[in-house]
């Protein structure tokens, strides 16, 4: 684990900002939209604020802060705490449930929300100039994703710049592997590399229960972030699904063919089942750890589940996702779970009985069709094509409106259908969130009768 970061003071300098002083821009009708090229200095058009420097925190003070950090309101063992979200508008002040962030309420499918919440997958990172400058000073991804001060700073960068409704921890789905006895390196040319791929019963037996002493930087970061965000957005944690994590563990890194792990389904099924079961147990405990450290919503990435035929996914991925969900619903029943599979158009109906609260749609699925297939008793997330962020801003505005209207006025978290792409213009990301804050369900769906949709059998 990397030692203390030289960025420690820099990372804490500006954490006491309030980017949500103008959280909502309410327009009387759906055609009243923010204009392209919003003036970043015009406070009544944009929630983005300049950095307000704060006193530097010493190592001793940081430790004291962590020890005194308030318990998570979504903790598996505590009751929800009332949010200190500022009173922004009369409609929000009189809402039926204001103690929790908009994103959490949308994930649960609550009625009466003013608009969809929004965040972006890969929202913190490589497209931002601020992140690129930090990465030059700290070129190791492992250092950036395993050092508390760097994690906190990188996670807060897009929140300060764009004020999304969800703030997701800067981390990686492979981060917990060393804590179960699977070391890995990251190569600039090959990505993650596991020197000893797990392909035998003996190797599976050598895997250890998850050791949270090796993941303290995750818990510390979440506690700090929860305090910094202070109820103004939802704090999201995330994990990889067992099948997706297993592809790296078995293949030894990235792959385009998945031949080793797919062949194990037939040549060494007991070995693969043992590996997947161990991963499911470890991932379940890791989710609980994140929740008890402050995460209010968890996304499960089955990124490579879409590489399986649907009937094979049913056998080799779905049962282990259900194992995780079942445990979390017992231990942390109030924490919404989101399931995202890249390339999930052929899986939607099969995903509904995993027990998750939200299903993420990638951009290849038409939102209206996805909603019809899933019904409106489960929430959905997505699904603007990330390439739209390279389009003229009015085109992006129209696509956001189309997706939101297709998803309906309940149970929708606006997101991209995949992660933010490299070289995405920051102006487009800002516009995405500005447009979302301008939306109002009562005008978008004025005069409409919401149809009850049952999932397709």
């Amino acid at each position: 684990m990397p030692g203390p970061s030289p960025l420690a003071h820099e990372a804490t300098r500006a954490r006491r900002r309030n980017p949500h002083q103008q959280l909502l821009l309410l327009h009387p009708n759906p055609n009243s939209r923010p204009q392209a090229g919003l003036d970043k200095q015009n406070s009544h058009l944009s929630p983005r604020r300049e950095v307000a420097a704060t006193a530097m925190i010493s190592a001793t003070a940081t430790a004291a802060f962590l020890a005194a950090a308030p318990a998570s309101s979504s903790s598996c063992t505590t009751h929800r705490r009332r949010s200190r979200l500022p009173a922004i508008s009369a409609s929000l002040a009189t809402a039926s449930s204001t103690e929790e962030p908009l994103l959490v309420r949308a994930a649960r499918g609550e009625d009466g929300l003013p608009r969809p919440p929004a965040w972006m997958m890969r929202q913190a990172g490589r497209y931002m100039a601020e992140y690129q400058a930090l990465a030059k000073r700290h070129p190791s991804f492992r250092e950036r994703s395993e050092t508390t001060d760097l994690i906190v700073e990188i996670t807060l960068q897009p929140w300060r710049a764009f004020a999304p409704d969800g703030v997701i921890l800067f981390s990686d789905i492979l981060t917990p592997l060393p804590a179960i006895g699977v070391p890995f390196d990251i190569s600039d040319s090959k990505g993650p590399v596991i020197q000893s791929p797990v392909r035998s019963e003996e190797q599976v037996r050598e895997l250890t229960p998850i050791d949270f002493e090796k993941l303290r930087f995750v818990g510390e970061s979440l506690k700090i972030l929860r305090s910094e965000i202070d109820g103004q957005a939802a704090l999201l944690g995330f994990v990889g699904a067992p099948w997706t994590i297993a592809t790296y563990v078995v293949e030894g890194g990235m792959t385009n063919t998945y031949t080793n792990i797919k062949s194990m389904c037939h040549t060494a099924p007991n070995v693969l089942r043992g590996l997947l079961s161990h991963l499911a147990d470890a991932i379940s405990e890791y989710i609980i750890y994140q929740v008890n450290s402050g995460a209010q919503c968890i996304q499960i990435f089955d990124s490579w589940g879409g590489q399986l035929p649907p009937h094979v996914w049913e056998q080799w991925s779905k049962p282990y996702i259900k194992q995780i969900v079942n445990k979390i619903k017992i231990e942390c029943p109030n924490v919404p779970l989101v399931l995202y599979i890249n390339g999930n158009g052929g899986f939607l109906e099969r995903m509904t009985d995993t027990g998750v609260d939200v299903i993420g749609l990638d951009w290849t699925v038409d939102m209206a069709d996805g909603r019809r297939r899933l019904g409106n008793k489960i929430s959905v997330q997505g699904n603007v094509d990330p390439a739209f962020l390279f389009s003229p801003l009015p085109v992006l505005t129209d696509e956001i409106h189309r997706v939101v209207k297709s998803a309906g006025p309940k149970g929708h978290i606006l997101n991209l259908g995949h992660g933010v792409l490299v070289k995405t213009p920051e102006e487009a990301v800002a516009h995405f969130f500005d447009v979302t804050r301008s939306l109002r369900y009562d005008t978008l769906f004025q005069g409409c009768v919401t149809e009850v949709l049952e999932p397709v059998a």
Side-chain angles (χ1 to χ4, degrees):
M1 179 172 150
S5 165
L7 195 69
H9 295 309
E10 178 182 330
T12 57
R13 188 174 297 140
R15 292 191 191 146
R16 294 297 178 189
R17 300 187 251 193
N18 179 5
H20 291 264
Q21 291 175 350
Q22 301 289 334
L23 183 61
L24 291 179
L25 304 178
L26 305 182
H27 293 276
N29 62 68
N31 294 319
S32 182
R33 304 169 180 166
Q35 300 299 310
L38 290 171
D39 181 1
K40 294 183 180 180
Q41 303 302 317
N42 195 332
S43 63
H44 76 278
L45 288 179
S46 171
R48 296 179 295 284
R49 296 290 182 268
E50 293 191 5
V51 178
T54 64
M56 294 184 289
I57 303 175
S58 67
T60 302
T62 300
F65 167 79
L66 287 170
S72 162
S73 68
S74 54
S75 167
C76 305
T77 57
T78 59
H79 296 291
R80 295 182 306 181
R81 90 193 233 290
R82 183 170 297 276
S83 168
R84 287 176 284 168
L85 198 66
I88 300 157
S89 68
S91 61
L92 283 184
T94 58
S96 60
S97 176
T98 57
E99 68 266 17
E100 290 184 301
L102 186 65
L103 187 148
V104 173
R105 297 169 61 197
R108 292 193 183 128
E110 288 189 21
D111 291 308
L113 302 187
R115 62 171 177 88
W119 69 283
M120 290 183 179
M121 290 181 281
R122 292 185 182 170
Q123 124 183 320
R126 53 193 180 177
Y127 70 98
M128 292 188 70
E130 189 177 7
Y131 173 84
Q132 294 165 11
L134 183 148
K136 287 181 180 179
R137 298 192 298 274
H138 302 273
S140 166
F141 178 81
R142 292 287 299 272
E143 180 192 5
R144 295 195 298 273
S145 62
E146 297 180 13
T147 304
T148 299
D149 288 297
L150 296 178
I151 295 168
V152 170
E153 170 62 17
I154 294 168
T155 301
L156 290 177
Q157 284 176 355
W159 185 64
R160 292 193 301 248
F162 312 120
D165 297 297
V167 176
I168 189 164
L169 179 74
F170 180 77
S171 187
D172 192 86
I173 60 173
L174 300 186
T175 293
L177 282 184
I180 63 169
V182 183
F184 72 96
D185 299 311
I186 293 183
S187 165
D188 291 338
S189 59
K190 297 180 180 179
V193 176
I194 295 171
Q195 298 293 345
S196 300
V198 177
R199 299 175 185 170
S200 70
E201 288 187 11
E202 182 181 359
Q203 288 175 301
V204 171
R205 286 195 298 268
E206 290 174 351
L207 297 176
T208 66
I210 191 164
D211 180 1
F212 291 112
E213 281 299 308
K214 296 180 179 179
L215 294 169
R216 289 181 62 185
F217 54 87
V218 172
E220 291 172 353
S221 298
L222 286 167
K223 289 175 182 177
I224 294 171
L225 288 165
R226 183 64 183 273
S227 179
E228 295 298 326
I229 295 167
D230 197 25
Q232 297 175 74
L235 179 58
L236 290 91
F238 70 94
V239 296
W243 171 267
T244 289
I245 299 298
T247 63
Y248 294 94
V249 173
V250 170
E251 299 289 345
M254 295 289 294
T255 178
N256 293 322
T257 61
Y258 306 90
T259 51
N260 287 303
I261 190 167
K262 285 185 175 182
S263 66
M264 282 182 70
C265 296
H266 313 288
T267 62
N270 290 335
V271 174
L272 186 54
R273 289 190 190 99
L275 173 60
L276 291 169
S277 181
H278 189 95
L279 290 172
D281 287 339
I283 292 165
S284 299
E285 295 298 328
Y286 188 38
I287 290 175
I288 294 170
Y289 177 70
Q290 290 187 40
V291 170
N292 283 333
S293 297
Q296 297 165 288
C297 182
I298 299 290
Q299 177 147 318
I300 303 170
F301 286 90
D302 197 6
S303 305
W304 308 131
Q307 297 297 318
L308 293 171
H311 72 284
V312 178
W313 181 83
E314 285 265 8
Q315 181 179 1
W316 288 103
S317 184
K318 183 177 180 178
Y320 303 97
I321 293 173
K322 292 182 73 170
Q323 180 181 331
I324 292 169
V325 173
N326 290 341
K327 182 162 186 176
I328 302 308
K329 290 303 179 183
I330 292 171
E331 300 291 334
C332 313
N334 295 321
V335 176
L337 299 175
V338 184
L339 176 60
Y340 173 82
I341 301 176
N342 189 31
N344 63 0
F347 293 76
L348 294 185
E349 293 83 1
R350 299 171 189 260
M351 295 169 69
T352 55
D353 66 346
T354 57
V356 297
D357 304 278
V358 186
I359 291 178
L361 306 182
D362 79 5
W363 78 95
T364 65
V365 179
D366 180 78
M367 177 58 79
D369 181 56
R371 179 58 97 182
R372 282 193 296 269
R373 291 166 61 188
L374 293 170
N376 53 17
K377 293 182 180 179
I378 189 168
S379 296
V380 294
Q381 179 175 275
N383 70 336
V384 174
D385 183 345
F388 268 97
L389 294 170
F390 292 85
S391 303
L393 297 184
V395 174
L396 175 59
T397 299
D398 289 341
E399 179 62 8
I400 292 170
H401 278 246
R402 185 194 68 80
V403 168
V404 171
K405 289 179 180 178
S406 296
K410 174 183 174 181
H412 177 219
I413 300 169
L414 184 64
N415 204 314
L416 303 180
H418 198 273
V420 183
L421 300 173
V422 178
K423 298 183 180 179
T424 295
E426 292 187 42
E427 180 187 21
V429 175
H431 187 73
F432 180 94
F433 291 113
D434 287 338
V435 171
T436 306
R437 277 184 292 273
S438 77
L439 298 177
R440 287 299 302 272
Y441 279 142
D442 57 0
T443 53
L444 280 172
F445 296 96
Q446 188 172 16
C448 296
V449 177
T450 302
E451 179 183 1
V452 176
L453 300 173
E454 297 294 337
V456 176

